[in-house]
Amino acid sequence: MSDPAIIRLQIDGQAVEVRSGSNVAAAIAQATLYFHRSPSGQPRAPLCGMGVCFECRVDIDGVGQLRACMIPAREGMRVRTDG
Ligand code: FES
């Protein structure tokens, strides 16, 4: 039987487990350092952790430009970075 306190999701196709209550940014940090690239190609990662800087934007279940630091991790999410 699975532990209800553990959430399983995919980050760029990689299986990741986080504790219930974690946000998507915490899950991504287990898989990669960079969340997306700037228009000039520079790797970007979370800066503020509170929804202000937009440096943590990712695609979640086909919806782009979502701030990973503001979204709770949910079972079965498929997250894509372009970092
Ligand atoms: S880390 Fe700044 S908006 Fe997410």
Side-chain angles (χ1 to χ4, degrees), residues 1-8 17-20 75:
M1 186 169 170
S2 63
D3 182 348
I6 300 296
I7 293 171
R8 295 156 204 84
E17 293 184 347
V18 292
R19 302 288 301 174
S20 178
E75 184 74 25

Side-chain angles (χ1 to χ4, degrees), residues 5-58:
I6 300 296
I7 293 171
R8 295 156 204 84
L9 61 162
Q10 287 192 7
I11 310 296
D12 297 332
Q14 177 180 336
V16 169
E17 293 184 347
V18 292
R19 302 288 301 174
S20 178
S22 299
N23 62 31
V24 173
I28 294 171
Q30 292 187 36
T32 182
L33 291 176
Y34 304 116
F35 286 48
H36 73 104
R37 291 191 179 271
S38 70
S40 64
Q42 295 180 326
R44 311 302 294 187
L47 180 63
C48 71
M50 58 184 189
V52 176
C53 73
F54 286 74
E55 295 291 358
C56 63
R57 288 171 288 164
V58 294

